[in-house]
Amino acid sequence: MKNSLKKDVLKKLENNSSAYTFITNLMADNTVYLFGGAIRDFFDNTLCSSRDLDFVVEAKQNQKLDISQYFHDFKDISYTKNRYEGYKVVFNDKLTIDIWNLADTWAFKNKKLYPSAENLMKSVYLNVDALVYSLNYEKFLNNCDVEYLQIKQKRILDIVYDETPYEDLNLLRALVFCQKYAFELSERLNNKMITYIGNHNHYNDAIDNFIELQKSHYKTLLLERKDICYFIQHIYCEK
């Protein structure tokens, strides 16, 4: 399983020679981790069509790496820098990846958690995001693969770390996962959702916000208004 993930990731990147060379060049000098969504897609057997490729770079000797230096060898890429010093990189106008330094992870940069690859899993809001795989060493960190499969078996979506500048987006994602995997919200997550809805003048305002968030984040509606209404009614029934 662990060997297959590295093989499948590199195979996906091989379809775009610049992306493959970019990542393998980074791996030659640093430790590169695959993080979050693409690992879920691997377990769902949908990695080949995944658009959720997040890479985290840990430079040698704990130094912060200037990732942009690896862009100079390519003429067919474009990139933008985000507010957290990471990059969104587009290869040949086809393949997009997000990549950042380990130390620039929000919880690390804001001194919430000690920066380490193992703590990446502790820095996420939702338990289904707590997935980290070392491409260099072909290894899931802290048996996160086993824990993820247990989460899918129990079908309970829960909070790992609730300090985030994007709580509304994470609550929306929770609803998306509930629909995709037929998950239930944990009591803690259920209470967060009720508090969030209660902070709006009317629950329809919260729904409107979830609709707009989908348009800006996903560029499409994964949840229709009726779907969100159903989940909100279900959340209050659980209380």
Side-chain angles (χ1 to χ4, degrees), residues 6-27:
K6 179 179 180 178
K7 179 180 177 181
D8 287 359
V9 170
L10 294 182
K11 182 178 179 181
K12 179 179 178 67
L13 296 177
E14 279 176 355
N15 293 326
N16 191 306
S17 59
S18 294
Y20 178 85
T21 303
F22 174 74
I23 291 297
T24 53
N25 285 350
L26 274 169
M27 289 172 60

Side-chain angles (χ1 to χ4, degrees), residues 145-161:
D145 55 329
V146 175
E147 291 191 17
Y148 174 69
L149 294 176
Q150 291 174 345
I151 290 167
K152 287 195 71 175
Q153 185 177 30
K154 294 177 181 177
R155 295 175 47 243
I156 300 295
L157 196 61
D158 203 359
I159 295 172
V160 175
Y161 189 73

Side-chain angles (χ1 to χ4, degrees), residues 89-150:
V89 190
V90 182
F91 298 88
N92 300 111
D93 295 321
K94 295 179 180 179
L95 178 67
T96 302
I97 71 169
D98 287 289
I99 189 164
W100 65 93
N101 272 286
L102 177 74
D104 286 330
T105 301
W106 184 85
F108 302 160
K109 194 169 184 177
N110 289 275
K111 313 296 184 184
K112 305 293 184 179
L113 293 171
Y114 178 79
S116 71
E118 289 76 12
N119 276 348
L120 274 173
M121 290 173 290
K122 298 178 182 179
S123 73
V124 300
Y125 192 87
L126 298 173
N127 57 356
V128 290
D129 290 324
L131 288 163
V132 183
Y133 176 84
S134 169
L135 287 171
N136 294 67
Y137 299 104
E138 302 179 29
K139 177 184 178 182
F140 290 100
L141 272 59
N142 292 357
N143 294 317
C144 62
D145 55 329
V146 175
E147 291 191 17
Y148 174 69
L149 294 176
Q150 291 174 345

